[in-house]
């Protein structure tokens, strides 16, 4: 019966309960709406010989890659954000990139882990969605039980070492009035992408078909609504395809790591 509560009331779970549900393979869906009030994070895992360059890349591009935590080389435990967690098992789905090519999606990366791995947890827009909902701004992908739509753009990052590539954005449709309020609300969360990077015409940032996202799912855009775009933590996947490291492990889009950190800790009042 307790398990039924966990599955039927994911927003009410605490982070440890949510991660246990994921670790047991009882939850294999996107994590939007789980453990409300707690920071969710994107994941990028690289060999330690690339870790400094990626950290520098993130520092130079904080809008897309706001760092929440970095593990010690070889340790799967994010000590600052979830000391009882295990990066190898506590996300619903991972992606394995080899030489820039997506080779596999799996629910456990223990077999890939070695003492040279460094994991980066990167701020996720799911964090500010709770604040948007509290301000009566609709989150269409949650309403439609879909993954948030994400798109590659023509906006280039600031290069760092071998890391460069195009910015990825997530999109949420809303009215123009709601968009103004959304800018105000999300500006309070600079550590998890902050304010939108673009509002309106998708073609202006290189998106030719708003109904065919590069990652995630298409959602309904109603009459009178405009698309609003935020920098997105799927960025490392676009970078992986561009830079082609021998191996890079990421979260599958929408399948995040749930930390013990509260959203309010990352908001500016």
């Amino acid at each position: 019966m307790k398990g039924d509560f966990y599955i039927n009331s994911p927003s009410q779970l605490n982070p440890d309960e949510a991660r246990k549900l994921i670790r047991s393979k009882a939850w294999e869906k996107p994590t939007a709406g789980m453990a409300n009030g707690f920071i969710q994070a994107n994941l990028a895992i690289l060999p330690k010989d690339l870790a400094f360059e990626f950290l520098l890349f993130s520092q130079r591009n904080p809008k897309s890659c706001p760092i929440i935590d970095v593990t010690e080389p070889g340790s799967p435990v994010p000590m600052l954000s979830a000391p009882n967690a295990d990066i190898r098992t506590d996300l619903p789905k991972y992606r394995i990139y080899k030489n820039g090519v997506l080779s596999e999606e799996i629910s456990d990366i223990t077999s890939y882990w070695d003492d040279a791995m460094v994991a980066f947890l990167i701020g996720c827009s799911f964090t500010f969605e709770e604040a948007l909902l509290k301000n009566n701004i609709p989150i269409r992908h949650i309403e439609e039980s879909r993954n948030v739509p994400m798109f590659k753009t023509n906006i280039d990052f600031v290069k760092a070492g071998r890391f460069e590539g195009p910015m990825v954005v997530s999109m949420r449709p809303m009215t123009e009035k709601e968009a103004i309020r959304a800018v105000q609300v999300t500006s309070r969360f600079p550590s998890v992408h902050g304010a939108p990077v673009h509002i309106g015409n998708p073609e202006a940032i290189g998106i030719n078909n708003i109904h065919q996202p590069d990652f995630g799912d298409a959602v309904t855009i109603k009459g009178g609504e405009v698309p609003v775009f935020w920098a997105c933590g799927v960025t490392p996947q676009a970078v992986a395809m561009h830079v082609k490291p021998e191996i890079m492990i990421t979260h599958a889009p929408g399948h995040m790591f749930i930390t013990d950190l509260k959203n309010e800790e990352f908001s500016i009042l």
Side-chain angles (χ1 to χ4, degrees):
M1 301 296 240
K2 192 174 182 181
D4 291 340
F5 169 77
Y6 284 177
I7 293 173
N8 295 328
S9 306
S11 65
Q12 305 302 310
L13 301 179
N14 66 44
D16 190 56
E17 291 168 340
R19 291 192 300 264
K20 285 180 179 177
L21 193 67
I22 292 166
R23 194 179 309 144
S24 69
K25 308 297 183 277
W27 185 279
E28 299 179 312
K29 300 179 289 185
T31 54
M34 288 189 84
N36 280 354
F38 292 88
I39 294 282
Q40 295 199 25
N42 302 278
L43 175 69
I45 298 173
L46 286 160
K48 63 182 178 182
D49 66 319
L50 287 172
F52 173 75
E53 289 180 29
F54 186 76
L55 187 63
L56 183 61
F57 173 82
S58 300
Q59 188 269 333
R60 290 179 177 175
N61 299 280
K63 192 82 170 172
S64 294
C65 297
I67 296 295
I68 301 296
D69 201 353
V70 183
T71 65
E72 297 285 345
S75 172
V77 180
M79 291 300 299
L80 298 181
S81 59
N84 295 317
D86 190 324
I87 287 293
R88 301 170 297 181
T89 57
D90 292 359
L91 285 75
K93 193 180 296 183
Y94 303 81
R95 283 187 166 184
I96 311 296
Y97 289 89
K98 295 181 179 179
N99 299 308
V101 177
L102 175 60
S103 64
E104 192 176 4
E105 279 197 354
I106 53 178
S107 59
D108 185 316
I109 59 167
T110 303
S111 62
Y112 281 97
W113 191 265
D114 62 41
D115 290 342
M117 295 287 191
V118 178
F120 294 83
L121 292 176
I122 299 166
C124 168
S125 57
F126 286 178
T127 296
F128 63 63
E129 288 183 345
E130 181 182 3
L132 292 175
L133 289 170
K134 287 181 177 178
N135 280 267
N136 298 314
I137 297 171
I139 307 295
R140 190 62 40 76
H141 60 272
I142 293 179
E143 293 175 350
E144 297 182 347
S145 298
R146 297 181 181 181
N147 200 351
V148 62
M150 293 160 274
F151 304 84
K152 288 185 284 188
T153 72
N154 58 12
I155 304 170
D156 286 326
F157 287 115
V158 179
K159 184 178 179 180
R162 286 163 280 185
F163 289 93
E164 59 182 325
M167 179 182 288
V168 176
V169 295
S170 59
M171 187 278 292
R172 294 160 186 79
M174 59 192 68
T175 67
E176 292 177 349
K177 182 178 179 181
E178 289 166 342
I180 293 170
R181 183 59 179 155
V183 171
Q184 297 170 330
V185 170
T186 57
S187 293
R188 294 178 52 230
F189 296 91
S191 296
V192 283
H193 303 308
V197 296
H198 184 70
I199 297 174
N201 181 15
E203 294 183 2
I205 55 173
I207 300 170
N208 295 321
N209 190 339
I210 196 66
H211 301 293
Q212 290 187 356
D214 295 298
F215 307 96
D217 304 316
V219 297
T220 304
I221 301 177
K222 300 177 181 179
E225 291 184 332
V226 295
V228 183
F229 301 92
W230 278 266
C232 178
V234 168
T235 287
Q237 300 186 30
V239 169
M241 288 182 272
H242 189 85
V243 180
K244 299 178 173 59
E246 184 176 346
I247 188 168
M248 184 175 193
I249 303 173
T250 74
H251 66 290
H255 299 71
M256 306 300 177
F257 178 77
I258 299 172
T259 76
D260 294 341
L261 306 173
K262 293 185 177 180
N263 290 343
E264 60 197 38
E265 296 177 46
F266 285 74
S267 67
I268 296 174
L269 299 177

